[in-house]
Amino acid sequence: MMKNILVPTDFSDCANNAAELAIQLAKKSNAEIHFLHIIRTPVDWKNLRKEKEKNFPETLHEIGHARGELTKLELKGKKAGIVTKTFLVFDKDTDEIITHLKQHHHDFIVMGSHGVKGFKELIGSNTQKVVRYSPVPVLVIKSKSKTTAIKHIVFASNFEKEAHQSFLKIMAFADLVKAQIHLLYVNMPFQFKETDEIEIAMQNFHKKCPRGTCSINIYNALNEERGIQKFAEKINADVIALTTHGKTGFIKMIAPSITESLVNHSNIPILSVNIKSK
C-alpha cells in the first residue's frame, strides 16, 4: 500500500506524534519517508545575498532550529532502518505540500493538526485544504492523540458502490496495522432509513469488499458529524476513516463541511481517502 510517505512538520508535539506514527508505518510497509518543513521568510530568502542574511537574525535562528530538528527526524528514521529524506523550503504555502507530493510520487501523507486553531506554523487554517485536495490518503494526527497502536478503525459511509475502490485502501491500511474495521451508517431524522434497508445495503457493500473482521453498525444521530464522533468515542476508536470526493466533500451522505469539522474538532485521528485516487 505505502511506498513513499510524506510527513509535513512544524516540530510541534502533534507533528512529532505524526512523525513517530509515520516511522512505524514506514517500517511496517518498507516505505521511504520524507519530512518536509516550510519556513515563511520576511524576504525572498533563496535570492537574498549571503552577506544580507545577518540582517534577519530571527530568520537565521529559525532556519538553524529547523535544520537541527530535521536532522533529528532523519536520524530517527535511519535508526529504524528506513530510507529517510528531509526537505526545508522557503517562502511557500500549503500548496507546496501537494507540489512536493506530486514531484516525489508520494502515496500517503501523515500530518499533525492542533485542532480548531489549525496546524499553527505550517498549515495555519489550511489543514483542511491538504485533506480536501490531496490525491492520496491523508492521516491527520491530533495534539491529544498518542497513536502508538491502531486497533479499531471506524469507516463511515453511505455504502454505495462508488466507495468500494477507496474502501480497499482503508482495508489495506487496516491490514497493515492489524486493526478491526467498524462499518458505520449514521441514520438521521431528515434522511431516515429503516434498519433492515440499511443493513441490506451495508451487507451488499461488505460482500463486494469482503473482510472478515468488519462489524456492521447503525447509529442514530441528529447529524453526520455528531453520529460519527459519538460512535467513535463509544467504541474507543483509534482512527475515523472517510471517503471524500476531493474538493466537493464526502460522498452523498456526508456534508461537504464534515471533513474540515472533524479534522478541527475530533481528538481521534482522521484518515481521508479521495474517491478519485487510483
Side-chain angles (χ1 to χ4, degrees):
M1 177 192 176
M2 301 176 200
K3 296 297 181 186
N4 200 333
I5 301 172
L6 175 61
V7 186
T9 180
D10 67 353
F11 315 121
S12 61
D13 288 344
C14 66
N16 289 335
N17 289 343
E20 292 287 347
L21 180 57
I23 289 171
Q24 291 178 34
L25 294 174
K27 192 171 182 178
K28 288 177 184 289
S29 58
N30 196 29
E32 183 174 316
I33 190 166
H34 289 189
F35 293 103
L36 170 68
H37 182 70
I38 299 169
I39 294 181
R40 294 193 182 98
T41 57
V43 294
D44 183 359
W45 197 263
K46 288 192 295 185
N47 295 316
L48 186 69
R49 290 166 60 182
K50 194 73 177 176
E51 62 270 20
K52 297 285 187 181
E53 291 181 0
K54 63 183 180 182
N55 294 328
F56 303 92
E58 290 184 3
T59 302
L60 282 173
H61 180 267
E62 186 179 0
I63 291 170
H65 173 72
R67 285 176 175 156
E69 293 300 311
L70 286 172
T71 298
K72 290 178 186 177
L73 290 171
E74 184 175 13
L75 290 173
K76 276 188 179 182
K78 289 182 175 178
K79 188 176 179 180
I82 301 162
V83 176
T84 307
K85 298 178 182 177
T86 60
F87 297 83
L88 180 61
V89 298
F90 304 100
D91 310 318
K92 300 290 184 180
D93 56 22
T94 48
D95 289 339
E96 177 63 22
I97 296 171
I98 303 300
T99 300
H100 188 94
L101 179 145
K102 292 177 179 177
Q103 287 176 345
H104 295 272
H105 308 290
H106 293 287
D107 50 23
F108 203 86
I109 297 177
V110 182
M111 61 191 293
S113 172
H114 293 277
V116 174
K117 293 184 179 178
F119 196 11
K120 57 182 178 182
E121 294 297 333
L122 174 61
I123 307 295
S125 61
N126 291 318
T127 307
Q128 307 92 332
K129 185 177 179 182
V130 177
V131 173
R132 196 183 313 156
Y133 291 103
S134 172
V136 304
V138 182
L139 180 60
V140 180
I141 306 300
K142 309 311 291 290
S143 57
K144 294 182 180 179
S145 60
K146 295 285 185 181
T147 314
T148 54
I150 298 173
K151 296 180 179 179
H152 297 278
I153 298 172
V154 172
F155 174 59
S157 176
N158 66 345
F159 302 101
E160 295 187 3
K161 63 181 181 180
E162 60 183 339
H164 292 160
Q165 195 62 35
S166 299
F167 182 59
L168 292 176
K169 294 188 177 182
I170 293 166
M171 284 198 301
F173 177 80
D175 288 340
L176 180 68
V177 298
K178 296 184 168 75
Q180 181 177 358
I181 296 177
H182 303 270
L183 304 179
L184 173 65
Y185 183 93
V186 178
N187 207 13
M188 298 165 289
F190 60 91
Q191 288 183 351
F192 180 79
K193 290 184 179 181
E194 293 189 352
T195 299
D196 56 350
E197 179 185 356
I198 301 169
E199 285 180 343
I200 289 170
M202 294 177 79
Q203 287 166 358
N204 288 337
F205 180 92
H206 190 241
K207 286 176 185 176
K208 293 178 181 177
C209 299
R211 192 176 190 272
T213 56
C214 289
S215 68
I216 291 177
N217 305 274
I218 301 167
Y219 195 90
N220 298 322
L222 293 175
N223 58 60
E224 302 97 336
E225 181 186 355
R226 182 179 176 85
I228 294 168
Q229 186 83 335
K230 280 186 156 296
F231 177 79
E233 290 171 355
K234 179 182 176 181
I235 68 163
N236 293 316
D238 301 298
V239 170
I240 296 170
L242 300 128
T243 303
T244 74
H245 259 313
K247 68 174 83 173
T248 57
F250 293 116
I251 53 175
K252 294 181 181 178
M253 167 196 147
I254 310 294
S257 61
I258 293 298
T259 177
E260 289 87 351
S261 191
L262 281 171
V263 165
N264 274 341
H265 300 115
S266 173
N267 289 325
I268 301 170
I270 306 296
L271 174 60
S272 169
V273 181
N274 193 318
I275 202 167
K276 297 177 183 177
S277 62
K278 296 180 181 179

